[in-house]
Amino acid sequence: MTTYQAAGSEPLLKVQNLVKHFPINRGIIFQRQVGAVKAVDDVTFNVYPGETLGLVGESGSGKSTTGRTVLQLYRPTGGQVLFEGTDLAQLRGDALRKMRRNVQMVFQDPYASLNPRMTIGDIISEPIRVHNLRQGKAVRERVNELLELVGLNPAFANRYPHEFSGGQRQRVGIARALAVEPKLIICDEPISALDVSIQAQVINLLQDLQEQLKLTYLFIAHDLSMIRHMCQRVAVMYKGKIVELAETDELYNNPIHPYTKVLLSAVPIPDPDIERTRQHLIMDPNFDYTEKDSRMVEVSPGHFVAASRV
Amino acid sequence: MGVLMEVKDLTVRFDTQDGVVQAVNGVSYTLREGEILGVVGESGSGKSVHVLSMLRLIPTPPGRIEKGQVLFEGSDLLSMPNDELRKVRGGQIGMIFQDPMTSLNPVLTIGRQITEVLTLHMNMNQKEADDRATELLEMVGIPDARRRLRDYPHQFSGGMRQRVMIAIGLACNPKLLIADEPTTALDVTIQAQIIDLVRRLQEKLGMAIIWITHDLGVVAGLADTLQVMYAGRIVERGPVREVFKDTRHAYTLGLLNSLPRADQKRGTRLVQIGGMPPDLTQPIIGDPFAPRNPYATERCWKEAPPLLPVPDGHPEHLAAAWYDLRTAKKSREFGEKVVQP
């Protein structure tokens, strides 16, 4: 997947043959490993500066694990995560912490990801202090600036998370991620816990910030219509592997992998005239869409599909 | 088609530490036999609570049904004695809930949980009930049904568990199936399977369905009638195509516009509804959507709009709005700053 380059630039993030297995242990005192969940199983993709790459798949497909493994929240079982040429998987301690300034994450659940005992101001200033980005009064000023950037009143800095709605909390989560001036933000289902009328607010904010701060996003979601709206390129994951990766319009108009076809067909279209007349492909619950011993084949420039070697 | 159920002025309150939550405020509508009603709204809109209240399934206290009637085939569910109501629930009215993981009992076999309904409501003996349970599991597309009756819920996947829930919901040939966000916890491909299944079952068995969801796409494909709820009120209601194509309430329009569309250029901003839903512990004067509504007129701030047939529209298309969205849309674009008095 290295032949394609968006806008001819060098990738910001190169994920190569990434593998993450979780051990399955048996026994109470004498534990032994009896198997492994192959959550991420040989995943390769690039993220180019300024783009939004969508990672879409069902629960259990390994999309969130991929995001967390890129950030080294989980240590990979194998493979490389090259950020501007440095392999994050090889870094430890201080060196890793320094690199994490460049890659931040916005989490799914704005209710669980903010410490309820910290004020909004403390939550946002913590990464600034950890990375020694500002001192003294400048920290508070920076917090106020960040709150304004995400559309919150700076006067909220002394309040606690429970005083805010889901959409506002997600704004706090975004401000916290932005505090260290990252280049890449991994958005792990940033809107799926929010109400429909609030989702658009957060999506618009993410797009405005991308333009303003020249951010790059790895956007993980299961909502295919929101992925289509947000992303220049989309990778479809199924059972720990990427089965198809292409530019967004190409993927939605010309899906090739049978799983991608089923997934796209399953998305209900909010228009009764279209939704009632179109053909629905219904997934066979007993069918396995994985190809044996597959590799990625470039079927047209930038459009990759997993195909069997045999 | 005849009238199956009539909801009249249903009003529900919750007494909480923060005050009295006005969860449902005078909801009235009629459900016909065999009609599929899609109820759409956000959390706090009263879409689930009003249905749970109809079956007296809300915890009391803190909840209480302040007033209203729910006439199911002529008898009022809200004033009926408990033992009679129990015969209706699970009998003539089947239910499916959001989370198939928690609504099945983990220590009982699937077969036991299906046959329980049958022996209770249909006076079947164990043999008849087993046969009927097998038939039901086959109907909802679970392979090897007779053997799987002996399995426990954890041996089924999420989608399969929701199929079991549907089998239980339909066990006694209900006239009404209430589905409260039945596919929200499921993956989109599984959701498509379940919707396809429900649509086929409805054609075959002819029951009415109340399908509660926040997904307008699901409603577009499934429902005959769409009912949009906000702040415990019905704000718009009508034949699904009318509500989608001839939208008359600003909230419905906002919901439709906030969805990303396939024909939209990427990078364009989504049209967002500003602000937040109202705090239902506070008294609401006027139209509850007025503070977020760019089309709000002066009257919206003072007086609550009644739910009335829309001008020059389908006779069954109702909206609660003082403004005429058709003329208002021309004069102002959605998303502009809201002017507060």
Side-chain angles (χ1 to χ4, degrees):
Chain A
M1 239 174 287
T2 44
T3 51
Y4 174 75
Q5 297 199 340
S9 54
E10 274 296 303
L12 184 68
L13 178 75
K14 277 174 94 155
V15 175
Q16 287 184 325
N17 308 101
L18 188 69
V19 178
K20 178 64 195 175
H21 291 178
F22 292 102
I24 304 169
N25 292 325
R26 281 275 161 76
I28 297 164
I29 298 165
F30 300 103
Q31 290 214 343
R32 65 208 147 82
Q33 193 179 332
V34 292
V37 178
K38 295 176 177 175
V40 179
D41 195 7
D42 194 9
V43 161
T44 298
F45 62 89
N46 291 340
V47 185
Y48 294 91
E51 81 164 340
T52 303
L53 175 71
L55 207 52
V56 67
E58 314 201 328
S59 44
S61 63
K63 56 188 195 301
S64 283
T65 307
T66 302
R68 285 164 180 253
T69 313
V70 165
L71 198 58
Q72 306 298 312
L73 293 177
Y74 298 142
R75 286 300 193 160
T77 311
Q80 288 183 310
V81 180
L82 298 165
F83 184 83
E84 292 184 323
T86 314
D87 187 1
L88 301 184
Q90 302 300 324
L91 297 180
R92 296 284 181 276
D94 254 4
L96 178 62
R97 212 165 299 134
K98 285 210 179 80
M99 282 307 287
R100 279 223 180 103
R101 230 196 104 178
N102 295 310
V103 190
Q104 286 289 310
M105 194 152 186
V106 173
F107 294 93
Q108 170 173 4
D109 187 349
Y111 293 88
S113 56
L114 302 178
N115 186 338
R117 295 178 192 278
M118 286 169 78
T119 63
I120 298 304
D122 288 340
I123 288 169
I124 299 173
S125 62
E126 190 177 35
I128 302 176
R129 292 179 209 278
V130 167
H131 288 277
N132 265 322
L133 302 176
R134 298 278 198 290
Q135 272 78 37
K137 262 163 90 184
V139 176
R140 248 296 112 87
E141 281 164 22
R142 174 70 178 147
V143 169
N144 291 350
E145 195 183 302
L146 285 162
L147 282 171
E148 267 177 23
L149 191 64
V150 297
L152 293 174
N153 187 338
F156 289 172
N158 294 322
R159 298 199 190 172
Y160 288 88
H162 75 265
E163 298 174 63
F164 294 89
S165 69
Q168 288 173 321
R169 283 181 212 215
Q170 201 54 294
R171 287 173 193 265
V172 173
I174 293 168
R176 189 206 49 81
L178 291 174
V180 293
E181 297 156 40
K183 292 175 181 160
L184 174 68
I185 295 185
I186 299 169
C187 305
D188 186 5
E189 303 259 13
I191 55 162
S192 49
L194 305 176
D195 265 322
V196 186
S197 78
I198 308 297
Q199 288 185 355
Q201 294 179 7
V202 172
I203 288 293
N204 282 343
L205 173 67
L206 285 171
Q207 285 187 322
D208 292 346
L209 291 170
Q210 180 168 42
E211 207 177 287
Q212 213 175 330
L213 306 171
K214 307 277 171 270
L215 295 168
T216 306
Y217 290 141
L218 177 60
F219 191 84
I220 301 166
H222 66 269
D223 181 340
L224 282 124
S225 38
M226 208 52 98
I227 284 262
R228 179 175 197 159
H229 177 79
M230 271 295 278
C231 306
Q232 280 86 47
R233 293 191 304 139
V234 179
V236 180
M237 281 192 81
Y238 178 68
K239 296 196 174 175
K241 289 178 188 296
I242 291 180
V243 294
E244 192 157 358
L245 190 160
E247 287 198 31
T248 307
D249 288 338
E250 168 73 8
L251 187 92
Y252 281 77
N253 297 330
N254 189 20
I256 292 171
H257 197 279
Y259 178 72
T260 313
K261 288 184 182 174
V262 163
L263 190 63
L264 290 177
S265 171
V267 182
I269 297 169
D271 183 325
D273 292 350
I274 302 172
E275 184 61 16
R276 276 156 200 257
T277 47
R278 75 190 177 106
Q279 276 285 327
H280 289 260
L281 285 172
I282 301 295
M283 183 160 99
D284 181 348
N286 305 309
F287 185 74
D288 188 355
Y289 291 84
T290 42
E291 308 265 352
K292 275 250 146 46
D293 192 25
S294 65
R295 68 198 160 95
M296 296 303 273
V297 177
E298 190 169 16
V299 287
S300 63
H303 190 159
F304 298 86
V305 183
S308 178
R309 274 180 234 262
V310 281
Chain B
M1 275 182 288
V3 170
L4 180 67
M5 188 170 74
E6 237 185 309
V7 184
K8 286 183 180 169
D9 200 23
L10 183 63
T11 303
V12 182
R13 301 278 179 262
F14 283 85
D15 299 309
T16 67
Q17 286 181 335
D18 301 329
V20 181
V21 179
Q22 300 157 48
V24 180
N25 302 290
V27 164
S28 305
Y29 60 89
T30 307
L31 186 73
R32 282 188 287 258
E33 286 168 6
E35 179 180 1
I36 306 182
L37 171 68
V39 182
V40 172
E42 300 179 70
S43 37
S45 64
K47 61 183 192 301
S48 289
V49 171
H50 97 272
V51 165
L52 292 175
S53 312
M54 287 177 349
L55 301 173
R56 305 209 321 241
L57 287 174
I58 53 165
T60 41
R64 63 188 151 87
I65 296 164
E66 200 168 72
K67 57 178 175 181
Q69 277 188 313
V70 179
L71 301 174
F72 183 79
E73 297 195 302
S75 32
D76 184 9
L77 299 180
L78 298 184
S79 59
M80 175 181 283
N82 271 324
D83 53 336
E84 252 180 76
L85 181 66
R86 267 198 294 275
K87 282 181 198 147
V88 176
R89 287 198 298 236
Q92 285 124 290
I93 301 181
M95 289 161 285
I96 329 170
F97 295 104
Q98 173 168 355
D99 194 347
M101 315 296 160
T102 54
S103 34
L104 288 169
N105 188 334
V107 297
L108 298 179
T109 62
I110 291 299
R112 174 83 189 278
Q113 296 187 56
I114 304 176
T115 53
E116 183 184 11
V117 198
L118 295 167
T119 47
L120 210 66
H121 288 287
M122 316 256 294
N123 293 320
M124 289 187 180
N125 62 36
Q126 197 57 43
K127 173 76 182 55
E128 288 167 336
D130 278 344
D131 289 344
R132 172 76 177 142
T134 311
E135 189 187 308
L136 285 162
L137 285 189
E138 276 166 2
M139 185 174 79
V140 297
I142 290 178
D144 202 5
R146 185 164 287 274
R147 196 185 53 78
R148 299 227 66 181
L149 287 178
R150 294 195 298 268
D151 285 350
Y152 289 87
H154 74 268
Q155 292 165 292
F156 290 77
S157 67
M160 285 295 165
R161 266 182 256 192
Q162 199 55 294
R163 285 170 192 257
V164 172
M165 288 306 297
I166 293 173
I168 295 175
L170 295 176
C172 304
N173 294 321
K175 291 184 176 151
L176 170 61
L177 179 70
I178 290 177
D180 186 2
E181 305 239 16
T183 56
T184 306
L186 304 175
D187 279 318
V188 62
T189 52
I190 314 290
Q191 168 174 289
Q193 292 167 23
I194 297 291
I195 291 170
D196 179 59
L197 171 69
V198 168
R199 196 184 283 125
R200 281 187 288 116
L201 291 173
Q202 200 276 338
E203 273 167 26
K204 194 170 140 198
L205 307 172
M207 70 281 186
I209 299 177
I210 298 180
W211 188 283
I212 299 165
T213 180
H214 61 270
D215 190 331
L216 284 161
V218 171
V219 172
L222 191 65
D224 302 316
T225 307
L226 169 56
Q227 174 168 310
V228 183
M229 294 188 68
Y230 186 78
R233 296 155 173 84
I234 299 173
V235 295
E236 186 163 7
R237 181 190 153 85
V240 69
R241 204 179 169 281
E242 296 295 322
V243 178
F244 270 90
K245 300 289 174 179
D246 185 21
T247 310
R248 299 297 184 99
H249 196 280
Y251 177 63
T252 315
L253 183 71
L255 282 184
L256 285 170
N257 283 348
S258 70
L259 299 171
R261 306 187 70 91
D263 50 6
Q264 201 176 31
K265 216 175 144 267
R266 226 181 345 280
T268 53
R269 287 171 63 89
L270 293 174
V271 185
Q272 64 189 42
I273 305 176
M276 277 181 296
D279 179 354
L280 293 177
T281 58
Q282 300 302 320
I284 290 169
I285 301 155
D287 182 345
F289 189 62
R292 306 173 77 185
N293 182 5
Y295 308 123
T297 60
E298 224 165 287
R299 196 172 184 188
C300 298
W301 292 92
K302 292 176 187 149
E303 220 180 315
L307 186 67
L308 294 174
V310 300
D312 323 310
H314 190 283
E316 289 180 7
H317 188 177
L318 314 172
W322 288 127
Y323 46 88
D324 189 336
L325 202 57
R326 293 168 302 169
T327 47
K329 259 190 334 197
K330 279 178 203 142
S331 59
R332 232 176 309 173
E333 267 312 302
F334 207 95
E336 274 179 40
K337 204 170 155 47
V338 179
V339 195
Q340 301 208 5

